């Protein structure tokens, strides 16, 4: 647990007490009859067994097995085990895909082309902030046995719950369009333009179901596919990195020395803004439930939090390196050039080919392979997240393939329309991505605020609620992220919205939006109760 910023308070706590008072503070599981009526992220039979109490452990030697059983009997956290870490490895890497989706890659290449290596320090700190948020999501899922969408369904009144669900779905569709288009662009590149964008969209939509069907053969099979796709990205972009021979000194200075100028502020905001994907917060809180953990046994929860913290940190370290490779390649090739501001996903491969060639294997196709792996993997996780969001908020007891079909349909129709339009107007791609990034930015508070609110509540988390220091850090990070994305929104709309009518409409929308965000922040606090009492008193005086 030393690697977890969000879990630091729990790690420092004393070993699990055996007395009944402490056990009462643990998040309790619902009765079996009630569970049968609720949507679950994973059925019991689908979960991976990681605890010695749930089955034989033939790979452990006698001494290690005895130590684990002794810890379990005493209620303390078992000693570290590499085999246990391996069994817990998977959810964090699926989560890390959102840090590597086509939208992030476009942000990387634009940051590199316009700002060079000067924003690498910001990429590092943005990834660290993303890690903190994802550790909180994992903590919520492990400690409660339920994911964020399910808990929001119980925590908020009906109107707020439906608004949160709508926001999550809109964010999901926006991210899905970017991911599918990214895959389609890669397919177009690798087919040498033979397959148009709309054909790539259809192929991506269909093969998404094929990959998801692997889950029927076990969660670990699906996780192995993602490991292969991440490895493909890492190899492809590392190959590009070595081919372009970047300057090591500039790279080190870019990571260690903070620099920011008015000319690169837009790219800086883009780097931070695309790190937190709203749907990824919901996704990670559900993915960690793929392991069989008894929430009534504190030592099992602490053990799971420790391994998930290590795994998530390693996964995001890998994603940081891949993003660094992409940023550095485009910084080396296009920083200070006339075309720096014109590079996007669709023409990036061609610009790379013209600049670097590729020797025995053209760099255009290396870029295409990496982009295809990014698009395919993020599309699958997006569909996965859509299932959890819909099932959790609406408590739908539907088969997974039906939920996947519904989730796919939300995005695939508008994506095909967009792809057909792009075939006639390639310049529209940059405009679309800008609008979709704005859409993601709008949704961020509606995932972050409920997450922090829930992990701070003892009645939800029991002894695993985060302490005051961690709360202060997480609210600071959330405020920073929301402020940065607010800047992006204001900058965008100030250029797009003109005229008194559209300006007045925008002001009204902003007022409603800000009021809902303020409601989520203040709900359940003493200040909100005072405000409600003051309003009621004022109405009673008027009568």
């Amino acid at each position: 647990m030393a690697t977890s910023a969000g879990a630091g308070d729990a790690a420092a706590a004393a070993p699990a007490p055996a007395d009944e008072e402490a056990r009462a503070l643990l998040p309790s599981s619902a009765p079996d009859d009630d569970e049968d009526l609720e949507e679950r992220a994973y059925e019991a039979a689908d979960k991976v067994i990681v605890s010695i109490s749930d089955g034989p452990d033939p790979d452990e030697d006698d001494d290690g097995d005895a130590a684990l059983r002794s810890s379990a009997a005493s209620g303390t956290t078992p000693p570290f085990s590499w085999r246990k870490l391996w069994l817990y490895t998977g959810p964090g890497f699926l989560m890390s895909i959102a840090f590597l989706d086509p939208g992030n890659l476009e942000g990387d290449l634009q940051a590199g082309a316009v700002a060079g290596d000067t924003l690498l320090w910001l990429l590092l700190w943005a990834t660290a902030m993303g890690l903190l948020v994802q550790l909180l999501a994992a903590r919520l899922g492990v400690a409660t046995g339920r994911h964020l969408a399910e808990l929001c369904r119980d925590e908020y009144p009906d109107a707020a719950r439906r608004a949160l669900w709508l926001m999550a779905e809109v964010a999901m569709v926006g991210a899905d369009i970017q991911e599918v288009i990214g895959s389609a662009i890669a397919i177009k590149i690798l087919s040498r333009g033979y397959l148009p964008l709309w054909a790539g969209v259809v192929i991506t939509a269909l093969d998404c179901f094929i990959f998801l069907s692997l889950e029927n053969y076990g969660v670990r099979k699906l996780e192995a596919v993602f490991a292969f796709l991440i490895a493909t990205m890492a190899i492809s972009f590392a190959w590009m990195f070595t081919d372009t021979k970047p300057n090591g000194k500039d790279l080190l200075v870019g990571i260690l020395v903070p620099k920011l100028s008015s000319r690169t502020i837009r790219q800086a905001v883009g780097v931070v803004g695309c790190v937190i994907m709203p749907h990824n917060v919901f996704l990670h809180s559900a993915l960690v439930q793929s392991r069989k953990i008894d929430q009534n046994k504190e030592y099992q929860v602490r053990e799971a939090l420790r391994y998930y913290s290590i795994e998530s940190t390693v996964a995001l370290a890998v994603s940081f390196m891949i993003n660094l490779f992409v940023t550095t390649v485009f910084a080396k090739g296009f920083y200070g050039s006339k075309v720096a501001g014109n590079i996007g996903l669709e023409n990036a491969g061609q610009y790379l080919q013209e600049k670097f060639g590729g020797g025995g294997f053209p760099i255009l196709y290396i870029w295409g392979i990496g982009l295809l792996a990014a698009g395919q993997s993020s599309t699958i996780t997006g569909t996965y997240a859509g299932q959890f969001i819909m099932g959790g908020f609406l408590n739908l007891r539907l088969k997974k393939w039906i939920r996947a079909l519904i989730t796919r349909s939300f995005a695939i129709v508008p994506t095909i329309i967009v792809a057909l339009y792009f075939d006639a107007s390639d310049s529209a791609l940059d405009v679309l991505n800008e609008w979709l990034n704005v859409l993601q930015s709008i949704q961020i508070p509606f995932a972050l605020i409920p997450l922090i609110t829930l992990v701070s509540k003892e009645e939800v988390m029991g002894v695993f609620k985060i302490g005051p220091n961690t709360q202060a850090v997480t609210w600071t990070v959330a405020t920073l992220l929301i402020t940065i994305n607010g800047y992006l929104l204001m900058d965008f709309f100030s250029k797009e919205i003109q005229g008194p009518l559209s300006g007045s409409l925008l002001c009204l929308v902003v007022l409603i939006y800000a009021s809902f965000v303020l409601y989520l922040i203040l709900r359940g606090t003493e200040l909100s109760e005072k405000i409600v009492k003051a309003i009621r008193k004022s109405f009673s005086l008027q009568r």
Side-chain angles (χ1 to χ4, degrees):
M1 297 271 305
T3 58
S4 167
D9 299 300
D19 59 283
E20 293 299 324
E21 182 180 354
R23 292 184 181 278
L25 289 173
L26 287 167
S28 60
S29 301
D32 293 338
D33 293 340
D34 292 340
E35 285 184 354
D36 291 338
L37 298 176
E38 291 189 358
E39 185 274 341
R40 282 175 267 180
Y42 295 90
E43 298 297 332
D46 298 331
K47 295 185 178 183
V48 177
I49 295 176
V50 292
S51 173
I52 58 172
S53 61
D54 293 321
D57 196 0
D59 293 337
E60 291 284 356
D61 55 48
D62 292 338
D63 293 338
D65 185 68
L68 287 171
R69 293 188 183 279
S70 174
S71 298
S74 64
T76 60
T77 305
F80 179 82
S81 163
W82 287 103
R83 180 180 180 275
K84 279 286 188 72
L85 178 60
W86 170 249
L87 290 174
Y88 276 104
T89 297
F93 281 91
L94 268 69
M95 167 274 295
S96 71
I97 294 296
F99 290 71
L100 299 168
D101 70 359
N104 277 274
L105 297 184
E106 183 162 31
D108 293 337
L109 66 88
Q110 290 174 347
V114 175
D117 293 323
T118 61
L119 294 181
L120 291 178
W121 66 274
L122 190 60
L123 176 63
L124 174 63
W125 283 102
T127 304
M129 288 190 291
L131 174 61
L132 172 61
V133 172
Q134 296 303 149
L135 288 176
L136 291 180
R139 187 184 187 88
L140 182 73
V142 171
T144 64
R146 306 176 73 196
H147 56 81
L148 180 58
E150 293 175 310
L151 292 167
C152 285
R153 186 181 72 222
D154 294 339
E155 174 71 14
Y156 295 98
D158 191 60
R161 174 179 61 83
R162 291 185 183 279
L164 287 173
W165 170 64
L166 179 62
M167 293 297 182
E169 290 290 355
V170 169
M172 185 69 261
V173 171
D176 216 6
I177 291 174
Q178 279 186 314
E179 292 155 0
V180 174
I181 288 292
S183 284
I185 290 172
I187 292 171
K188 184 178 180 180
I189 291 172
L190 296 174
S191 67
R192 297 186 177 184
Y194 179 75
L195 292 174
L197 281 181
W198 68 265
V201 169
V202 174
I203 292 171
T204 303
L206 294 177
D207 64 23
C208 179
F209 285 106
I210 296 173
F211 285 125
L212 283 173
S213 67
L214 291 174
E215 190 183 7
N216 295 326
Y217 300 96
V219 173
R220 299 289 277 176
K221 301 290 192 304
L222 184 63
E223 291 172 351
V225 171
F226 280 96
F228 172 77
L229 292 172
I230 292 173
T232 301
M233 276 187 274
I235 293 170
S236 299
F237 297 132
W239 191 337
M240 288 171 47
F241 180 79
T242 54
D243 271 359
T244 55
K245 298 179 177 62
N247 186 299
K249 181 181 178 181
D250 290 343
L251 180 63
L252 192 61
V253 170
I255 294 174
L256 299 179
V257 181
K259 291 182 181 179
L260 193 61
S261 68
S262 57
R263 187 174 57 85
T264 60
I265 189 68
R266 189 176 184 84
Q267 284 69 37
V269 170
V271 168
V272 178
C274 63
V275 164
I276 304 298
M277 303 291 282
H279 73 275
N280 205 41
V281 179
F282 291 96
L283 175 66
H284 199 197
S285 66
L287 290 174
V288 294
Q289 295 175 46
S290 60
R291 272 53 178 176
K292 191 172 183 180
I293 301 166
D294 187 350
Q295 277 72 33
N296 290 314
K297 295 179 180 177
E298 187 177 344
Y299 74 90
Q300 285 193 17
V301 177
R302 292 191 184 280
E303 179 185 54
L305 290 174
R306 176 172 63 181
Y307 288 121
Y308 280 138
S309 297
I310 297 171
E311 185 230 8
S312 297
T313 302
V314 172
L316 289 194
V318 172
S319 76
F320 168 73
M321 291 304 301
I322 293 174
N323 284 314
L324 181 144
F325 290 154
V326 176
T327 304
T328 305
V329 165
F330 284 87
K332 171 70 174 181
F334 307 102
Y335 177 53
S337 67
K338 295 180 180 179
V339 300
N342 300 322
I343 301 177
L345 277 183
E346 190 162 14
N347 58 20
Q350 195 59 47
Y351 277 119
L352 286 170
Q353 186 66 26
E354 293 172 1
K355 181 72 178 180
F356 299 109
F361 194 77
I363 198 169
L364 170 66
Y365 298 119
I366 300 174
W367 166 255
I369 291 170
L371 182 59
L372 180 63
Q376 290 285 355
S377 56
S378 57
T379 300
I380 300 168
T381 55
T383 303
Y384 220 27
Q387 296 179 46
F388 294 133
I389 289 170
M390 180 177 290
F393 274 109
L394 303 183
N395 194 23
L396 296 179
R397 294 285 291 168
L398 298 175
K399 292 182 178 180
K400 289 183 178 180
W401 71 268
I402 296 178
R403 271 186 289 167
L405 180 63
I406 295 172
T407 305
R408 267 313 59 222
S409 301
F410 279 162
I412 213 63
V413 174
T415 306
I416 289 177
I417 295 172
V418 165
L420 290 171
Y421 178 66
F422 286 161
D423 276 351
S425 176
D426 293 342
S427 61
L429 181 60
D430 292 334
V431 176
L432 173 79
N433 276 322
E434 194 170 7
W435 275 97
L436 291 177
N437 287 334
V438 167
L439 186 66
Q440 294 293 322
S441 299
I442 291 173
Q443 313 304 325
I444 284 177
F446 307 118
L448 273 183
I449 296 172
L451 173 66
I452 299 174
T453 299
L454 288 166
V455 295
S456 304
K457 296 184 70 170
E458 185 172 334
E459 53 267 38
V460 175
M461 299 291 292
V463 294
F464 296 103
K465 75 166 187 173
I466 58 175
N469 292 336
T470 308
Q471 286 184 44
V473 172
T474 53
W475 277 115
T476 300
V477 169
T479 302
L480 181 62
L481 289 169
I482 292 171
T483 302
I484 289 174
N485 282 280
Y487 172 86
L488 175 64
L489 295 176
M490 294 303 296
D491 179 66
F492 178 79
F493 284 117
S494 65
K495 296 176 181 177
E496 296 292 327
I497 303 298
Q498 297 178 353
L501 181 60
S502 57
S504 300
L505 182 61
L506 176 62
C507 289
L508 178 61
V509 172
V510 169
L511 181 61
I512 295 172
Y513 176 85
S515 299
F516 189 41
V517 171
L518 194 62
Y519 162 78
L520 293 175
I521 294 173
L522 296 179
R523 183 179 180 274
T525 63
E526 293 182 5
L527 179 59
S528 67
E529 292 174 0
K530 290 179 180 178
I531 293 174
V532 171
K533 288 180 180 178
I535 293 173
R536 287 177 179 172
K537 185 176 180 180
S538 114
F539 274 111
S540 63
L541 290 175
Q542 289 178 5
R543 291 178 183 176

